[in-house]
Amino acid sequence: MKITIIPLGTISPYPKKNMNCPGFLIKFQDYKILLDCGNGIVRFLHLPNDLNNLHIFLTHFHNDHIGDIGALQYASFCHHNLGQLDQKIQIYMPDHDFRFNRAAILANEESFADYHSIHNMQTYQIGDFMISFEDNHSHTIESYMIKLQSQKFKLVYTSDIGTNNIEGIIKFAQNSDLLICESSFLKTHNSNSTTHMTASRAAKIAELAHAKQLLLTHFWPEENKEAYLKEAQNVFPNTEIAIEGKKLTYSK
Ligand SMILES: [Zn+2]
């Protein structure tokens, strides 16, 4: 199975130049999985083709992770009406309500979509991948880590995580072939945030989880990405930084 991972958005909390808020497109078999749908990512999708067999997972309801969901819903509506989309897009999101964002997504009548729940006990089978979730218990609101697991490949996307429940995060990411982990800060930022990671903390998680490869994401828009890479590689050498459009491919 060929697996292609395309970073569509790698910065937060706002898009800048050719960089968008969080989003990763994963293509395999005939399927597409979109992990988060941040501001600006729709610019980098190929529509209407990418709407076919598209499964969108929203990890939590912070605006930087859902900013383009309305645009995608409306795109599905328009392309369906034009006869270019027969299958509904599939949107998965946590059950809880937060600042009405969930309700607004569900109430959007100009969309061609089905809706599904994300919670700890839920799993979905999409092609060869089993998809599972775990509330990371360390961000400012309920936020889910996502695991894609086939017989030969395990990908874990942390979304936004903080410094609590590190043991649980490491356990969830255990033995992943690719760990996509957020790194909002650098050590030099001297941030005392407990609800986001630094690059070196992300790298430590990768090391302790025995991940094969670390892909850092969720960078501060005004910061140089290379600084994150340097900080992380001091702890975990097999680290890459996510760059919009720079694909990672695997044959498994
Ligand atoms: Zn967040």
Side-chain angles (χ1 to χ4, degrees), residues 12 59-65 139-141 143 159-161 182 195-196 218:
S12 184
T59 57
H60 64 300
F61 291 111
H62 276 159
N63 286 312
D64 54 330
H65 290 250
H139 195 40
T140 56
I141 60 167
S143 181
S159 188
D160 292 4
I161 54 171
E182 76 124 302
T195 54
H196 282 289
H218 208 280

Side-chain angles (χ1 to χ4, degrees), residues 54-58 69 72-73 89-93 105 111 113-117:
L54 179 62
H55 299 257
I56 304 166
F57 292 87
L58 304 175
I69 193 68
L72 263 190
Q73 285 178 301
I89 60 171
Q90 306 295 311
I91 299 176
Y92 305 74
M93 53 191 184
I105 292 167
S111 68
D114 288 325
Y115 300 93
H116 312 273
S117 294

Side-chain angles (χ1 to χ4, degrees), residues 4-43:
T4 305
I5 296 151
I6 310 169
L8 301 179
T10 68
I11 64 170
S12 184
Y14 48 86
K16 182 177 176 177
K17 294 182 181 170
N18 59 349
M19 298 179 289
N20 303 313
C21 289
F24 286 87
L25 185 66
I26 299 162
K27 294 185 173 182
F28 59 98
Q29 297 166 317
D30 286 333
Y31 299 96
K32 292 166 215 95
I33 286 179
L34 178 62
L35 301 175
D36 281 329
C37 191
N39 314 60
I41 63 132
V42 168
R43 300 185 297 163

Side-chain angles (χ1 to χ4, degrees), residues 28 33 57 122-133 146-151 153-155:
F28 59 98
I33 286 179
F57 292 87
Q122 187 72 59
T123 59
Y124 295 99
Q125 185 76 35
I126 300 177
D128 284 354
F129 277 117
M130 173 76 85
I131 322 292
S132 58
F133 315 93
I146 299 183
K147 186 184 297 177
L148 278 67
Q149 183 154 19
S150 71
Q151 297 241 321
F153 193 73
K154 186 195 279 193
L155 182 156

